[in-house]
Amino acid sequence: MTGVPALVFDCDGVLADTERYGHLPAFNQTFAEFGLPVRWSEDEYAEKLLIGGGKERMASLLTPEFVAAAGLPTDEDGQREVLAHWHRRKTQLYTEMVAEGRLPGRPGVARLVEEAAAAGWALAVASTSAEPSVRAVLTHVVGDERAADFTVLAGDIVPRKKPAPDVYLLALDRLGAEPDAVVVVEDSRNGLLAADGAGLRCLVTVNGYTEHEDFSKAALVVSTLGDPDGEHTTVLANRTAAKPGEWITLDDVAALLKEA
C-alpha cells in the first residue's frame, strides 16, 4: 500500500437506509404536489434504483405517452427545466426528513468512521445523489464536527454517474490517494462496478433492495458493518484474508488493502 489510506462511502443505503424511508416517499410526495399521474411502489422503485441519479430516475418517466398525459413540455430544454424543478422540491422534502431524524444511520457507520479518523485515514463520500441530500445524511449520521473531515463528491459533479467509475476517479484525485490505499463501502452492484472500474477494493453492505444483486467483484460482502451493542455482522462473501467477527473493524478494512 502507498500513501495515506482512505475510506470512501457511498451515501444512500450505506450511511443510512435512505431509499425506502427517504427517497421513495420524497419522490412520491413530489409527484403528488405537481399533480403527476404516478406513484412508485417499492417494487417499481427497486427497478428505478438501477438508474444512477434522482433526476435520471425522474427522466425515465418522460415517455411520449406520459408527457402527453401530464401536459408537459415536449422540447428538450423545457423538459430539462421541469425535471430540475421537480428534483429541487424532492431534495427539499428529503432533507427535511433527514433533519427530523426519520432516517437513522446504518449500524457501524459512525463507529467505523471514528476508528478511521483516529487512525489518520482520509474520509470521503462519493454519491450520485444531490449534494444537499448527501451532506444532510452525513451530518446526521456522524455529527457536524466529524462531517467536516469528509471530502464530499455528489450529484452532477461528474458527467457520468455510477456504474461509470468517474466519481471514484475524481475521489482519487481530490484525496491525492493511490488506488491501492482506498477502500470503498457500497451497497449496490452499480456502485461496486464504479469502484471496480476505478481500480478500488470494495466492501459491500447489502440492504433489502440490493441483497440479491451480483457482488462477485467485491472483496467482502456483509449484511451490515455491525455494532457491539446492536446488530451484528453476517459475512455473505469473503474473497480476502480478512477474518471479520461480529462487527467490521478498521483492521478488517485494512486487511482488504493488503490484498490489493
Side-chain angles (χ1 to χ4, degrees):
M1 182 179 70
T2 58
V4 175
L7 188 56
V8 183
F9 294 86
D10 176 40
C11 178
D12 297 314
V14 171
L15 297 183
D17 193 1
T18 57
E19 298 293 5
R20 178 176 283 106
Y21 302 112
H23 287 294
L24 176 55
F27 276 120
N28 282 338
Q29 185 173 337
T30 300
F31 298 150
E33 290 184 5
F34 283 92
L36 299 172
V38 60
R39 300 294 182 273
W40 284 335
S41 68
E42 287 200 3
D43 288 343
E44 289 169 330
Y45 188 58
E47 295 180 4
K48 294 299 180 184
L49 287 176
L50 299 177
I51 303 170
K55 284 197 297 293
E56 290 77 5
R57 289 169 199 158
M58 286 177 156
S60 71
L61 294 171
L62 299 182
T63 63
E65 296 77 14
F66 186 89
V67 167
L72 299 174
T74 57
D75 62 291
E76 187 174 319
D77 287 343
Q79 290 185 358
R80 187 181 300 112
E81 184 176 344
V82 164
L83 284 169
H85 194 34
W86 294 350
H87 194 250
R88 279 194 298 273
R89 177 55 178 155
K90 180 261 170 182
T91 299
Q92 181 183 19
L93 291 168
Y94 175 78
T95 53
E96 289 172 0
M97 292 178 188
V98 176
E100 292 166 3
R102 292 164 60 182
L103 305 173
R106 288 195 69 188
V109 173
R111 174 187 55 76
L112 188 60
V113 164
E114 288 305 310
E115 289 184 31
W121 286 48
L123 298 165
V125 173
S127 172
T128 58
S129 289
E131 185 172 338
S133 299
V134 173
R135 289 191 180 277
V137 173
L138 177 63
T139 299
H140 180 65
V141 173
V142 304
D144 290 293
E145 185 175 348
R146 186 60 68 209
D149 294 332
F150 277 74
T151 296
V152 176
L153 308 169
D156 298 323
I157 196 167
V158 290
R160 297 186 305 161
K161 295 186 177 180
K162 302 172 186 177
D166 300 33
V167 73
Y168 286 119
L169 293 172
L170 180 61
L172 288 171
D173 180 65
R174 291 285 181 88
L175 294 170
E178 296 295 328
D180 67 354
V182 177
V183 172
V184 169
V185 185
E186 273 283 359
D187 71 310
S188 70
R189 177 168 171 77
N190 274 352
L192 167 62
L193 292 176
D196 185 69
L200 306 179
R201 301 290 280 178
C202 190
L203 163 60
V204 171
T205 59
V206 301
N207 60 53
Y209 280 119
T210 66
E211 59 188 350
H212 299 300
E213 293 183 1
D214 177 6
F215 293 120
S216 56
K217 290 180 177 290
L220 179 63
V221 184
V222 297
S223 59
T224 173
L225 296 177
D227 269 323
D229 299 323
E231 186 176 349
H232 287 177
T233 298
T234 298
V235 175
L236 304 176
N238 185 1
R239 300 172 181 87
T240 75
K243 294 181 172 29
E246 294 181 331
W247 53 88
I248 299 299
T249 67
L250 190 64
D251 286 342
D252 296 321
V253 176
L256 306 189
L257 293 179
K258 295 176 183 177
E259 303 288 321

